[in-house]
Amino acid sequence: MPLVHVDPFEPDPAVIERAAELLRAGRLVAFPTETVYGLGANALDPEAVARIYEAKGRPSYNPLIVHVSDAAAARSVVREWNDRAEGLATAFWPGPITLVLPKRAEVPDAVTAGLDTVGVRVPSHPVARALLLAAGIPIAAPSANPSMMVSPTLGAHVEGSLGERVDLIIDAGPTPVGIESTVIDVSHAMPTLLRPGTITVPEIEAVVGPIAIASGAAEGVARASPGMMERHYAPRARLVVVEPADVERVLADERAAGRRVGALLISAPTAIDRSIILVLVPADPAVYAQRLYSALHAFDEAGCEVVVVERVPEGVEWLGVRDRVGRAGR
Ligand code: TXA
Ligand code: MG
C-alpha cells in the first residue's frame, strides 16, 4: 500500500519531495488539509486532473477546488480579483474557505467542469503547505473519497476506499477541522454561500457585508455547487435524525427490530443497550465537526445498518454540521 506516515507539524522533507515529484509527473497524491484529506493532482495538467475523476468515480460536471500556497498564487489562477476576495483572503487564509472567481484560460476545463469560474483556497495544514511549496504548482484536490461517500479524516480512510488508485497517501493523523471548507462565490457584487463550513455566515458578513445563501440546487441541474447535491457525504448505514426526547425510544425500537445500531448523540442516554455502537459528541460545533466523519466511518466499519443521530442544535454556528448531517441522512 502506498501510505506513508509523517509528523503533522514537521513532515519529513524527503516524503514531501517525493510527493511533489509525483504531482509534477501527473500522478495522484492524497494529502491532509485542515478540513479533510484531499486527492491531489497538478491543476494545470488535464490528464492528471482526469485521473482524479477516474479514481473517485466522480461525475465530470462536479468541479474541483484548486489549492494554492498564498493569495498571490490564487491571483495567478483567477482572472479577476476583487475587494470581496481580498477581504476574505486576508481574514481567513490560510484556512477552510474556498473562493469562487472567474478562471484564467490556463486552468483546464476539466478542473472547473466547463464553468467559467474556479474555486481556490489556501489550506493551513502544515503538510498541505509544505507540499504546495515543494511542488510549485497549483494542486486540484477534491476530498479523497469515492464520489458520494463520506470524506476522509484519516489516511486509513483513503487507503480503505481508494487504495491502489492513488500513487501516494501522506498520512498525518486526524484532520483538525473535520468537515469540508466553506465555499463562497465572490464573482458577483453579492457574494453567495454555496456550501456552509466551519467559518460562519456572521464571520463572513463581518468582512464583506450581507451575503446570499444558495438554496439546495436540484440534482442534475443548476449545478452551481455540486456540494449541494442532496445525497452526498453519505455512509452506507441508513441514518435517522431524531429529536433529543425521542432518542431512547427510537434506539429501543431499532434494537427490537434486530438491527445493528449506531448512535451519534450529544446527550448521554440514561440507559443504552450494550450492543449499540455509541459515539458521544459535545454540544460544541467545532468539536462535533471534527468528529462527525470519523464517527460515520466507524459506524460503517462496525457494520451498522442504521445510525440514530440526535438532532443538532439550531444556531448559525451549527450550519456546516447541520448541512452535513442532513445530507448524510437523505
Ligand atoms: O475542504 C475542502 O474543500 C476539501 C479539501 C480537500 O480542500 N475539498 C473538497 O473538495 O471538499 P470537493 O471536490 O469534495 O468539494 C468541492 C466543492 C464542491 O461542492 C464543488 O461543487 C465546489 O466546491 N466548487 C468547486 N469549484 C466550483 C465552482 N467553480 N463553482 C461552484 N462550486 C465549485
Ligand atoms: Mg467531496
Side-chain angles (χ1 to χ4, degrees), residues 56 58 142-143 145 149 151 180 195 232-233:
K56 282 181 62 91
R58 184 179 178 105
S143 50
N145 51 282
M149 303 295 285
S151 293
E180 304 85 348
R195 180 175 73 181
H232 203 161
Y233 320 116

Side-chain angles (χ1 to χ4, degrees), residues 183-195:
V183 179
I184 183 161
D185 184 341
V186 288
S187 64
H188 305 286
M190 171 71 97
T192 303
L193 182 74
L194 299 178
R195 180 175 73 181

Side-chain angles (χ1 to χ4, degrees), residues 26-40:
R27 312 306 307 181
L28 299 183
V29 174
F31 62 97
T33 78
E34 69 277 23
T35 58
V36 299
Y37 278 74
L39 179 62

